[in-house]
Amino acid sequence: MINGYLDRKLQEVYSQYLQERLTCPGSSPGYSLTGVEGANSHPTAPTAFRVFSIVLWIMLASLAKLGFHWSGRIPAVVPESCLLIMVGLLVGGVIYGVRHTAPPVLSAEAFFLYLLPPIVLDAGYFLPGRLFFENLGTILWYAVLGTLWNVLGIGLSLYGLCRLGGWGLEEVSLLHFLLFGSLIAAVDPVAVLSVFEEIHVNEQLHILVFGESLLNDAVTVVLYKLFESFLRMPTVSSVDILAGGCQFVVVGLGAQVIAPLFVFLYSYLSYLTSEMLHFSGIMAIVTCAVTMKQYVEANVSERSNTTIKYFLKMWSSVSETLIFIFLGVSTIQDVHMWSWPFVSSTLFLCLLWRALGVLLLTAVVNKLRRNAVTFRDQFIIAYGGLRGAICFSLVFLIEDFPMKRLFITTTIVVILFTVFVQGMTIKPLVELLDVKRKKRALPTVSEEIHSRLLDHLLSGIEDVVGCWGQHYWKDKFEQFNTKYLKRFLIREDKQPKSSIVRLYQELERREQMGEDDEGTEDSQTQSRSLLPEEMDSIRKILSNNLRNFNNKHITAYSRHTLHQDFTVDASRKACLQRHHSMGERHSSNQTHNNQVHFSLIDTKSPRPVHNPAEVNLNGPIRVTSDGWADSSGPSLQNQEQAQASSTSRHMHIPKKLSFVLENEREK
Amino acid sequence: MGSTSSTLSKIPNADELIQETGFTSAHLARLFERFEALDKDKKGYLSPQDFEAIKELALNPICDRIIGAFFSSGQEMLDFSSFVRILAHFRPIDNNRTKEPNSPDPINSRINKLKFAFQLYDQDKDGKISRNELLQVLRAMLEKQVTEEQLESIADRTIQEADLDRDDAISFEEFRKSLEKVNIDHKMSIRFLR
């Protein structure tokens, strides 16, 4: 009953929003602006032109990306998101200068419907599942409570300051401030992802920040819609507030219910469905991605697997680039209204409340965790709270009121500040504070086996003691998974292999390719001595080959280091596939034999054991098909395959390669 | 649930146990209640059958080894003190403990945890994990997923990786070394038992 009441309110909001959209004919994604006067008078554009312009933007985005990767040094210092925004600013400035009207703006619709889902899907798909679920409690704690804390804190303190400060903002109601708080407090997964990818902090920290940024969407959505609907109601009674609170729970939970659907279209459908039902689309898509990953990977052939992952990365990369560029472009507009005190206090408050929030929450949650979150980690969590395009879109969606333009300006300033200042300084800070970084160890089969044994042991002990700990639930899920889900969802002949077996096979393959003549040495040193050889062969390949098309295609995707399973391998694989279609050459595709199952499940083992094998090849990789013919080619490939599918240890051998490459270039 | 003190009074040497294992009295009481719950025939001690009656434990691939770890000296009766001493291995490590020079390591130190894990492999208690013992464990864990040859090669590789003195078996030191990068405290502790 309460929900129905609130739903009616929300429907009113939506229908009004839709009406506004309909009254701007010829509006197209990227060209329309909702609710802001003065900048939506674009002429009706024929469809072809519209598509043309979209493609132009995408090309611009890709060119920008390529440019950065060719420049080598810069990405190390300046995160890509900053550069893209600057490009956007440039372009926006140019357009403004030429046409003297505001350039096209990122429309909320385009953002939420087209640009955001691929990114979130990609993030969810490559989420390190096991780590995520182990830390889920903490992540939820930060996401839900932290966001609530920030929203209320920022909203209320801004309100108080404006009342006291006499900045001419007294007419703005409390609700408006709360609404503003709800959109500005949200940490943006896109921005966080793009910055944190380059700094390689320890996995726990990474997953905390990233997980939080993904999951706080539910809270943001609810609060935003809540305050917006309150704004439209003449009076707000306590019943309304209570109803709002219930909506909260429903939104978060509802997203989970919608979640288990399959593959791309389905995940997109799940996102849309949940958005239509006013649930949190982001949470739905993340859950969907995380759950369906196992089944997709097990059922689908290896090549399709590669394709799926490749496409995900590509899509999300394009989306992200577009978003940042648009952000830059949209900044150049007529709609700005400036107010020094308001903007600076908002900025200050955002930082302050986040810091306080993280401190308090961590103090509480550390009592319950096994691995305490250190102060340094806390600092990074607080500092890493970047705002991004979500705030931007939400602020445009607000119903028009006198101070809206001020809000827009402030939001843009906050976003720019967090992305530029925080984004650029976080890397030096991480090094300065000596935050624990990613481990760079070689995996060993022993470790894997012993870890598995310990997991079984712990489950057993938990059973003996009678407590329902982590292992209990993991096991229970595994049993359910094996008994029911897998039987229906995975083809018979494709039952996934144990992670132990996979790891073992990869290590063996690597060694077979690498050292045929080193018989009896310790395998550890064998694996390590592979590196210099590998590096030499890469250097050779690099210096020999300067073919263009391979270069372009790979560099576009090297940045989104295919986190978990792929290093440059996948892009090379894709190269091979492309080469297939061009010349029917089967080069060394035989080596991609079907023993490599990138599947995650094995019975009785803990949840998905993927490891982010991050290869951040900061320079371009120039590889051609000729490279494959050498014997060094496949070994490189396999080494990376090996690393790619190794489990629970983070491999950084390829990363050394990138350092080498960087150093080489500097010589 | 009875009050802690009444439960504690039923335990014969509660204070000594608390001292030795580091459990709090509340935990000790809880464990005692669990002990009594497992001891369905009210014998005052636990037998392997009582363990096997735990449903989820029976599904565990290494359940017989776990049970064997409890009944380590071959006896068939497990009294409460031994029960608690074994479970003490799974307490999270206290980092704040002051190190007295002559006192022995607490039961839940990293070394002792590793020793406990080691004995799961080393069934014949000769201080080494032989290839055969490793094979048995692997077989139990991997069940029907792999062929026998694959099992053997995996076992060979494991030994190859860890075996530094080339005696084709893994001693405790080698075992410890191969796990030095693993966060044992994290992996081998039950929060419940803090």
Side-chain angles (χ1 to χ4, degrees):
Chain A
M1 174 193 79
I2 289 181
N3 254 336
Y5 164 67
L6 208 60
D7 257 48
R8 262 181 285 126
K9 298 288 177 201
L10 291 173
Q11 276 186 29
E12 282 172 55
V13 176
Y14 259 75
S15 54
Q16 272 188 318
Y17 168 55
L18 285 175
Q19 271 190 342
E20 284 170 20
R21 305 268 348 165
L22 290 172
T23 54
C24 305
S27 52
S28 59
Y31 277 92
S32 58
L33 192 54
T34 49
V36 175
E37 65 260 74
N40 61 355
S41 49
H42 247 89
T44 313
T47 321
F49 181 71
R50 220 187 297 160
V51 175
F52 176 70
S53 51
I54 293 177
V55 172
L56 263 186
W57 280 113
I58 296 184
M59 266 193 59
L60 172 68
S62 316
L63 282 176
K65 252 186 156 15
L66 297 178
F68 304 145
H69 286 286
W70 271 336
S71 64
R73 256 316 264 165
I74 302 188
V77 173
V78 183
E80 196 171 297
S81 35
C82 301
L83 289 168
L84 291 173
I85 294 186
M86 288 201 285
V87 167
L89 282 171
L90 259 175
V91 173
V94 163
I95 295 183
Y96 187 74
V98 165
R99 297 158 77 182
H100 292 291
T101 55
V105 171
L106 182 65
S107 83
E109 170 193 297
F111 177 69
F112 279 112
L113 285 185
Y114 306 124
L115 292 179
L116 189 61
I119 298 180
V120 184
L121 179 61
D122 168 60
Y125 203 78
F126 290 102
L127 208 56
R130 177 168 179 189
L131 206 56
F132 181 69
F133 284 102
E134 277 181 13
N135 288 303
L136 190 60
T138 320
I139 292 178
L140 278 174
W141 183 254
Y142 281 126
V144 178
L145 283 181
T147 314
L148 263 177
W149 166 270
N150 279 326
V151 168
L152 291 174
I154 295 177
L156 290 172
S157 43
L158 269 179
Y159 177 66
L161 281 176
C162 286
R163 287 284 139 143
L164 300 171
W167 303 325
L169 290 167
E170 283 84 1
E171 323 79 57
V172 186
S173 68
L174 173 65
L175 271 177
H176 276 117
F177 280 116
L178 284 175
L179 183 64
F180 183 64
S182 73
L183 61 93
I184 201 89
V187 175
D188 188 74
V190 180
V192 165
L193 181 62
S194 69
V195 165
F196 268 76
E197 253 194 3
E198 326 215 340
I199 60 179
H200 301 296
V201 290
N202 63 75
E203 313 94 54
Q204 177 180 285
L205 180 57
H206 185 256
I207 199 72
L208 283 178
V209 182
F210 186 56
E212 182 209 340
S213 68
L214 276 180
L215 296 186
N216 68 12
D217 174 66
V219 184
T220 313
V221 159
V222 173
L223 286 176
Y224 181 82
K225 290 190 173 153
L226 189 69
F227 291 133
E228 246 212 327
S229 64
F230 282 172
L231 270 176
R232 290 163 193 280
M233 299 189 324
T235 54
V236 179
S237 65
S238 50
V239 176
D240 295 325
I241 299 185
L242 189 59
C246 299
Q247 254 271 325
F248 197 56
V249 177
V250 172
V251 166
L253 293 182
Q256 313 307 314
V257 168
I258 300 291
L261 302 171
F262 305 105
V263 206
F264 290 127
L265 294 176
Y266 291 130
S267 15
Y268 192 48
L269 262 179
S270 74
Y271 178 81
L272 291 175
T273 319
S274 61
E275 284 288 332
M276 286 191 319
L277 298 175
H278 313 315
F279 292 145
S280 162
I282 292 186
M283 284 200 71
I285 225 182
V286 169
T287 323
C288 176
V290 168
T291 17
M292 79 181 183
K293 190 171 164 190
Q294 313 170 0
Y295 309 115
V296 166
E297 290 194 331
N299 267 330
V300 140
S301 78
E302 193 207 311
R303 202 174 286 188
S304 308
N305 236 337
T306 316
T307 314
I308 291 178
K309 298 194 188 208
Y310 190 60
F311 259 101
L312 273 176
K313 283 291 172 189
M314 180 189 80
W315 250 326
S316 74
S317 181
V318 170
S319 268
E320 197 179 316
T321 316
L322 274 176
I323 289 179
F324 281 118
I325 289 195
F326 266 126
L327 210 53
V329 169
S330 313
T331 315
I332 316 283
Q333 284 189 56
D334 290 329
V335 294
H336 291 305
M337 184 203 270
W338 187 263
S339 154
W340 268 111
F342 185 72
V343 172
S344 44
S345 57
T346 311
L347 208 49
F348 173 69
L349 284 173
C350 281
L351 294 170
L352 176 73
W353 283 104
R354 181 156 177 91
L356 282 180
V358 169
L359 266 173
L360 279 177
L361 290 175
T362 319
V364 175
V365 95
N366 265 344
K367 301 212 172 26
L368 304 170
R369 278 177 64 86
R370 263 189 286 209
N371 286 348
V373 182
T374 65
F375 275 116
R376 289 183 195 146
D377 286 354
Q378 286 175 43
F379 178 76
I380 297 294
I381 293 179
Y383 202 69
L386 305 178
R387 275 63 169 180
I390 293 188
C391 322
F392 188 71
S393 318
L394 285 178
V395 83
F396 272 107
L397 269 178
I398 304 182
E399 200 186 68
D400 210 12
F401 72 100
M403 289 295 143
K404 180 168 173 178
R405 290 161 56 183
L406 177 61
F407 278 8
I408 294 180
T409 312
T410 318
T411 313
I412 293 185
V413 170
V414 170
I415 295 177
L416 290 179
F417 180 84
T418 53
V419 173
F420 276 94
V421 174
Q422 287 178 235
M424 284 206 269
T425 54
I426 203 169
K427 190 161 186 187
L429 272 176
V430 160
E431 283 164 20
L432 194 70
L433 293 175
D434 198 24
V435 172
K436 224 173 90 170
R437 312 294 282 272
K438 265 208 171 79
K439 283 190 289 206
R440 301 175 182 195
L442 277 170
T444 60
V445 180
S446 333
E447 268 179 12
E448 182 64 23
I449 293 181
H450 300 321
S451 300
R452 179 80 61 74
L453 181 86
L454 291 177
D455 286 328
H456 287 312
L457 171 65
L458 265 279
S459 312
I461 298 288
E462 278 180 4
D463 296 327
V464 168
V465 173
C467 69
W468 286 359
Q470 217 171 34
H471 294 90
Y472 175 78
W473 289 116
K474 246 189 284 196
D475 267 8
K476 264 256 171 323
F477 177 80
E478 272 310 317
Q479 286 164 24
F480 172 72
N481 204 1
T482 320
K483 253 171 88 177
Y484 302 110
L485 297 178
K486 272 198 247 182
R487 267 209 259 142
F488 297 131
L489 300 172
I490 299 185
R491 295 204 309 250
E492 268 316 305
D493 55 334
K494 288 229 156 214
Q495 288 296 330
K497 294 208 179 142
S498 153
S499 57
I500 292 181
V501 178
R502 269 181 290 130
L503 172 63
Y504 164 73
Q505 282 169 343
E506 288 324 304
L507 290 176
E508 280 296 297
R509 192 174 301 127
R510 194 208 310 174
E511 279 172 22
Q512 268 170 29
M513 294 296 166
E515 317 81 40
D516 290 320
D517 40 9
E518 297 171 27
T520 53
E521 284 176 283
D522 184 12
S523 58
Q524 291 273 50
T525 49
Q526 269 182 352
S527 330
R528 288 205 190 98
S529 69
L530 202 52
L531 283 174
E533 282 174 54
E534 295 299 303
M535 293 199 284
D536 280 331
S537 60
I538 295 177
R539 277 195 213 123
K540 254 184 270 167
I541 296 173
L542 288 178
S543 49
N544 286 342
N545 304 313
L546 287 166
R547 296 288 165 76
N548 279 339
F549 91 91
N550 276 328
N551 191 13
K552 284 199 179 109
H553 288 288
I554 292 184
T555 49
Y557 309 116
S558 65
R559 184 234 161 211
H560 265 308
T561 64
L562 294 160
H563 269 270
Q564 311 241 25
D565 295 337
F566 292 80
T567 55
V568 187
D569 191 20
S571 37
R572 288 186 189 158
K573 269 191 195 173
C575 252
L576 277 177
Q577 289 170 9
R578 217 174 294 117
H579 213 75
H580 270 223
S581 57
M582 287 177 58
E584 294 303 308
R585 264 186 63 179
H586 286 282
S587 53
S588 54
N589 235 359
Q590 286 89 309
T591 55
H592 300 270
N593 53 40
N594 287 330
Q595 284 186 17
V596 182
H597 282 275
F598 293 101
S599 53
L600 307 177
I601 301 298
D602 60 318
T603 55
K604 313 273 182 178
S605 84
R607 271 310 213 73
V609 280
H610 257 345
N611 80 308
E614 293 210 346
V615 173
N616 201 348
L617 293 156
N618 292 322
I621 299 280
R622 298 182 169 98
V623 180
T624 55
S625 45
D626 295 335
W628 299 126
D630 316 340
S631 56
S632 55
S635 64
L636 174 62
Q637 197 177 6
N638 287 316
Q639 176 206 11
E640 287 166 350
Q641 262 184 2
Q643 291 147 14
S645 59
S646 63
T647 54
S648 73
R649 284 285 157 260
H650 296 283
M651 293 281 299
H652 258 283
I653 297 173
K655 179 83 169 138
K656 279 196 199 159
L657 300 177
S658 76
F659 288 146
V660 169
L661 294 175
E662 286 246 310
N663 294 335
E664 282 257 278
R665 303 173 112 258
E666 282 158 4
K667 280 183 200 157
Chain B
M1 277 228 180
S3 72
T4 311
S5 45
S6 71
T7 322
L8 274 179
S9 55
K10 293 191 215 159
I11 306 173
N13 39 359
D15 291 323
E16 195 189 306
L17 279 177
I18 292 178
Q19 184 74 323
E20 195 185 328
T21 61
F23 280 123
T24 61
S25 37
H27 275 129
L28 205 64
R30 210 180 334 179
L31 286 174
F32 189 71
E33 280 160 12
R34 178 67 181 170
F35 183 83
E36 292 195 314
L38 287 176
D39 179 15
K40 298 198 173 59
D41 309 326
K42 302 281 168 257
K43 309 184 287 290
Y45 58 85
L46 290 177
S47 65
Q49 289 75 25
D50 292 319
F51 278 92
E52 280 159 20
I54 305 175
K55 224 173 2 118
E56 292 83 14
L57 185 62
L59 295 171
N60 196 310
I62 53 168
C63 84
D64 45 349
R65 285 170 189 263
I66 298 178
I67 298 177
F70 276 92
F71 295 90
S72 52
S73 344
Q75 10 85 307
E76 296 275 306
M77 304 189 336
L78 185 72
D79 64 353
F80 182 65
S81 329
S82 324
F83 182 69
V84 171
R85 282 199 196 98
I86 296 202
L87 287 178
H89 282 96
F90 297 94
R91 281 187 59 238
I93 297 180
D94 317 304
N95 289 322
N96 316 324
R97 195 176 50 88
T98 49
K99 262 193 162 319
E100 290 147 47
N102 295 321
S103 66
D105 281 327
I107 300 185
N108 64 339
S109 70
R110 189 193 156 96
I111 283 279
N112 285 326
K113 284 186 204 263
L114 284 172
K115 281 193 188 149
F116 188 85
F118 190 76
Q119 75 179 87
L120 286 177
Y121 281 105
D122 185 19
Q123 295 286 311
D124 58 4
K125 313 240 183 298
D126 61 352
K128 290 186 185 307
I129 305 177
S130 70
R131 190 167 171 278
N132 220 354
E133 290 170 334
L134 189 59
L135 262 177
Q136 284 170 13
V137 173
L138 277 174
R139 209 172 284 133
M141 289 203 293
L142 296 176
E143 294 184 52
K144 309 177 198 86
Q145 296 181 31
V146 289
T147 64
E148 194 56 37
E149 304 96 53
Q150 277 181 319
L151 268 182
E152 302 219 347
S153 21
I154 293 178
D156 282 332
R157 192 188 167 102
T158 313
I159 295 188
Q160 198 189 8
E161 279 174 353
D163 193 12
L164 301 166
D165 55 5
R166 317 234 151 249
D167 57 355
D168 207 27
I170 305 181
S171 69
F172 178 68
E173 266 312 302
E174 291 159 357
F175 180 72
R176 194 186 58 76
K177 201 157 187 344
S178 67
L179 283 178
E180 56 187 4
K181 298 201 188 78
V182 178
N183 186 349
I184 294 290
D185 181 34
H186 183 100
K187 269 199 107 55
M188 276 190 77
S189 306
I190 299 186
R191 232 184 297 159
F192 181 69
L193 297 176
R194 181 174 289 280

